[in-house]
Amino acid sequence: MSATPLQALPIDELRQRSSTKWRKYPADVIPMFVAETDYGLAPAITRVLARAVELGDTGYTPPDPGIRDAFVGFAQRRLGWSVDPSHVFWTGDVMMGVVEILRLVISPGDRVVVTTPVYPPFFDTVEEAGGIVERVPLVRTETGFHLDLDGIEAALAGGARAILLCNPHNPTGTVHTRETLAALADIAERAGATVISDEIHGPLAYDPRAFTPFLAASDAAARVGYAVTSASKTFNLAGLKCAVMIAGATPQAHALQTLPWEVEWRTGLFGALANVAAYSPESDEWHDSLMAALTANRALLADLLADHLPEARYRIPDAGFLAWVDVSDYGWGDNPATKIRREARVALHHGPLFGDEGVGHVRINFACHPDLLREAVTRVGALAGGVTASN
């Protein structure tokens, strides 16, 4: 039996939120840029947070907040991934975890491969850890986006020491195949390099059987890898700081144990409580309903673009609620999101921030009410037709 699609909250309620999505731009702008969703929280999360507020439970995060056991259960149940509990650690958010792991595996000045176009903080994270970004763009074919394994191998042969992987990939929504990930692991192992996989979009794969956690791709992947993830994207918890770091094998687990205590202390108590509730079986039904809503919206967006922006190029994503759309044929400049926001009053993410491959592109967040998605694309379509959209 298929799940009932989750309903987005009414726009008047959403505009009462104080998060970036709803406070960055004026009220006449439809915000579809940052990766926040427009749905209410899973009931289990609401209950645990409401009870914490009622109790005044706002102190320090305890040494064992239950994150380890909750994540291990979720990974097995929802991702088909058996995780050794002794390999699981936690921190404030995914990028914090990435920085700390990079500091373990590279020296200042070492090069780190990133596969552009990619989540903009990847560039800052590498630099924060003392590394130098080496860009190896994805290859685009008729079947979608793919890792350039030859390019990555060449970069490692030239001295790069680590690969920062996005799996599934943001912004393209690509779910890398098990075979591709295993090949990447072999390349890294031959070069003596480390793979750090950001898997925050993993629970948002439309076919869960197609998503392979990097560390589960092969024995070599476990030997060379780390993963960092969180419930924050799926369950809209970005403001509640909590992420999970997973070691691929015992040596990496020992390395994570050497991190300063402060790395774990950065985890917020509300973040820990919310992540444990999100990872519990009680939230599975809500998760299924979310995926039903997103499944409908990703198809709706394709139809809307075909009707209102027929020159746009969009590949329906394999995972996530973010659409990578090439609108370069409309002549709106290298960064079309600026013109779209000013004239159509729709805020989309700026393509060039994801790398040079993002010129002429925008990223659209479609985790919203279908009517809001229709209104946004209609406004942009009016701009494409030479008409400035009115409010």
Side-chain angles (χ1 to χ4, degrees):
M1 183 176 179
S2 59
T4 301
L6 205 61
Q7 294 296 308
L9 297 176
I11 190 70
D12 58 335
E13 290 187 30
L14 291 168
R15 291 207 178 277
Q16 295 176 47
R17 288 182 172 181
S18 58
S19 60
T20 291
K21 183 174 184 179
W22 297 99
R23 293 299 175 93
K24 184 174 177 67
Y25 297 112
D28 66 326
V29 173
I30 298 176
M32 310 186 88
F33 62 111
V34 71
E36 298 179 21
T37 66
D38 290 357
Y39 308 102
L41 293 176
I45 297 173
T46 299
R47 283 194 295 272
V48 74
L49 294 178
R51 182 58 175 161
V53 171
E54 181 182 9
L55 292 172
D57 188 10
T58 54
Y60 292 107
T61 306
D64 183 1
I67 296 168
R68 175 182 291 114
D69 291 342
F71 176 75
V72 168
F74 178 86
Q76 183 66 64
R77 193 177 68 254
R78 303 292 289 184
L79 307 177
W81 179 22
S82 296
V83 178
D84 185 332
S86 70
H87 291 182
V88 178
F89 302 81
W90 47 92
T91 189
D93 60 39
V94 166
M95 289 298 102
M96 284 184 191
V98 168
V99 168
E100 297 302 336
I101 294 170
L102 278 172
R103 286 173 173 151
L104 289 174
V105 303
I106 68 170
S107 299
D110 282 348
R111 285 177 285 126
V112 178
V113 171
V114 298
T115 54
T116 51
V118 76
Y119 182 50
F122 270 34
F123 308 119
D124 299 330
T125 297
V126 171
E127 294 175 1
E128 184 179 345
I132 297 172
V133 172
E134 177 148 353
R135 304 178 188 218
V136 180
L138 296 176
V139 176
R140 184 169 189 171
T141 69
E142 291 183 357
T143 60
F145 293 88
H146 308 278
L147 294 175
D148 180 358
L149 294 175
D150 291 340
I152 293 172
E153 187 168 25
L156 296 181
R161 303 304 306 143
I163 303 156
L164 184 49
L165 176 69
C166 202
N167 177 46
H169 198 89
N170 174 8
T172 64
T174 304
V175 171
H176 303 299
T177 66
R178 181 182 296 271
E179 293 74 20
T180 295
L181 296 174
L184 178 66
D186 289 341
I187 290 169
E189 188 166 48
R190 288 195 297 269
T194 300
V195 178
I196 304 167
S197 186
D198 172 355
E199 301 192 345
I200 198 168
H201 295 275
L204 292 166
Y206 293 95
D207 179 0
R209 298 167 298 179
F211 169 65
T212 301
F214 176 74
L215 301 180
S218 66
D219 290 343
R223 290 192 295 268
V224 303
Y226 296 85
V228 191
T229 190
S230 174
S232 63
K233 280 291 179 288
T234 302
F235 293 89
N236 203 40
L237 305 173
L240 305 179
K241 294 297 183 179
C242 180
V244 178
M245 302 177 289
I246 307 103
T250 300
Q252 291 98 313
H254 289 165
L256 290 177
Q257 287 172 340
T258 69
L259 290 173
W261 288 0
E262 188 61 30
V263 174
E264 181 179 302
W265 275 100
R266 292 171 187 155
T267 307
L269 178 56
F270 276 24
L273 292 170
N275 271 250
V276 170
Y279 287 141
S280 73
E282 192 177 358
S283 293
D284 287 353
E285 183 178 353
W286 184 96
H287 189 181
D288 291 339
S289 293
L290 170 72
M291 295 311 300
L294 297 180
T295 296
N297 273 7
R298 67 174 182 157
L300 173 61
L301 178 58
D303 292 341
L304 291 170
L305 291 173
D307 289 343
H308 297 278
L309 291 163
E311 302 304 317
R313 289 181 287 276
Y314 161 61
R315 180 177 177 80
I316 294 178
D318 303 320
F321 49 82
L322 305 170
W324 188 236
V325 184
D326 181 353
V327 294
S328 55
D329 284 354
Y330 288 100
W332 293 336
D334 289 351
N335 187 12
T338 299
K339 180 180 179 69
I340 290 170
R341 187 187 73 251
R342 288 175 179 170
E343 299 185 29
R345 308 307 285 167
V346 178
L348 307 178
H349 211 322
H350 302 274
L353 293 180
F354 294 81
D356 292 342
E357 300 74 22
V359 167
H361 289 66
V362 293
R363 194 190 74 176
I364 303 174
N365 176 351
F366 57 82
C368 60
H369 195 286
D371 289 346
L372 197 64
L373 188 59
R374 291 187 184 95
E375 171 65 16
V377 179
T378 299
R379 288 188 186 190
V380 181
L383 180 63
V387 178
T388 300
S390 60
N391 299 327

